[in-house]
Amino acid sequence: MAREYSDIDIAPYIDHALLHPSATPDLVSQWCEQADQLHFAAVCIAPAYVRQAADLLHGKSVKVCTVIGFPTGATTPGTKLYEAQEAVEHGARELDVVINIGLLKAGKTDAVHREIAEICEETGVTIKAILETNLLTDEEKRIAAELCLEAGVEYLKTSTGWNGGATVADVRLLKELTKGQVGIKASGGIRTLEQAYELILAGATRLGTSRGVDLLHQRDRQPQEEES
């Protein structure tokens, strides 16, 4: 496996996620330090800790990312917009926004589009729309992808991780649907280096995971394992 994927550096793909309800400010500091030291793309933390992360990562290359409408996507459009604007004011430069999955399934596509488009327009930062692909049919994934592309998102994200995780099949489908117009963030359940590599080869341009440090440890152990 190491030889097959040896040219892939996964660190720049990783959004170092800390979204468990029990996360403390001390853990946020640790995650920010790790993301900076290991050259991850971003640290993804809850809205309450955006200002702390932005202060810690000021002048660093690591982006501060937070989640909006997480994890259900079912808060009101006004609540999501306020949450998004406040996060940007506090220093977030990337927002992972859960679409309203129930409205999508009900066929209320105009409402889904309007909500995401307004956040894109009013914040001016990188928006990653979380589709929660495990709850959608392939046709619903197609509709969601089209709506979010029209709304102006820069990434489609597979999952919150609360209803199952990323799959190679979903990443491939999103890549096919978007034709390279936006990035694809695979998120949820990424625990092994082989999973990470397979998702990247399928088309993922970001990986959302709380196990980024462990993935790099797995990578660093490979030469010794091969030589023994």
Side-chain angles (χ1 to χ4, degrees):
M1 185 183 71
R3 292 187 182 94
E4 182 181 352
Y5 304 127
S6 60
D7 58 338
I8 299 176
D9 179 8
I10 67 166
Y13 287 86
I14 292 174
D15 282 7
H16 197 29
L18 181 63
L19 296 170
H20 195 276
S22 66
T24 63
D26 285 346
L27 271 179
V28 172
S29 295
Q30 179 182 327
W31 249 243
C32 290
E33 183 178 353
Q34 290 171 344
D36 179 40
Q37 291 178 344
L38 298 172
H39 307 292
F40 291 157
V43 62
C44 187
I45 35 79
Y49 302 117
V50 167
R51 182 167 288 175
Q52 177 189 349
D55 288 344
L56 290 169
L57 293 170
H58 179 72
K60 309 288 188 179
S61 63
V62 181
K63 304 290 194 306
V64 175
C65 173
T66 194
V67 288
I68 304 298
F70 191 87
T72 68
T75 49
T76 65
T79 299
K80 283 185 181 176
L81 180 59
Y82 179 84
E83 188 177 33
Q85 290 173 320
E86 184 180 51
V88 173
E89 289 172 5
H90 289 176
R93 290 298 170 262
E94 298 187 350
L95 305 176
D96 289 14
V97 183
V98 189
I99 68 168
N100 192 311
I101 300 151
L103 291 183
L104 177 74
K105 284 184 163 293
K108 298 184 181 299
T109 54
D110 286 346
V112 176
H113 175 273
R114 185 165 55 248
E115 179 179 88
I116 297 296
E118 188 173 24
I119 292 173
C120 290
E121 292 165 7
E122 296 296 328
T123 61
V125 298
T126 296
I127 304 298
K128 308 188 197 94
I130 306 177
L131 307 186
E132 204 68 300
T133 49
N134 290 288
L135 301 182
L136 305 180
T137 66
D138 282 354
E139 177 61 13
E140 288 168 341
K141 293 167 195 174
R142 181 190 65 77
I143 294 169
E146 290 177 355
L147 291 172
C148 292
L149 285 175
E150 291 173 2
V153 306
E154 294 186 43
Y155 288 82
L156 296 180
K157 178 177 173 180
T158 60
S159 324
T160 61
W162 292 65
N163 294 286
T167 67
V168 167
D170 278 338
V171 170
R172 284 179 179 153
L173 178 61
L174 293 180
K175 182 181 180 182
E176 178 184 339
L177 292 171
T178 59
K179 297 178 172 60
Q181 296 177 67
V182 296
I184 298 169
K185 178 174 174 178
S187 185
I190 304 172
R191 297 182 175 86
T192 70
L193 191 60
E194 186 166 10
Q195 277 181 295
Y197 286 145
E198 289 176 348
L199 290 165
I200 291 169
L201 291 175
T205 55
R206 289 281 188 93
L207 303 174
T209 178
S210 62
R211 297 173 182 259
V213 174
D214 184 51
L215 292 178
L216 295 193
H217 287 163
Q218 292 178 41
R219 177 200 64 188
D220 293 342
R221 287 196 298 267
Q222 283 185 334
Q224 288 79 13
E225 291 173 357
E226 286 190 347
E227 291 169 6
S228 61

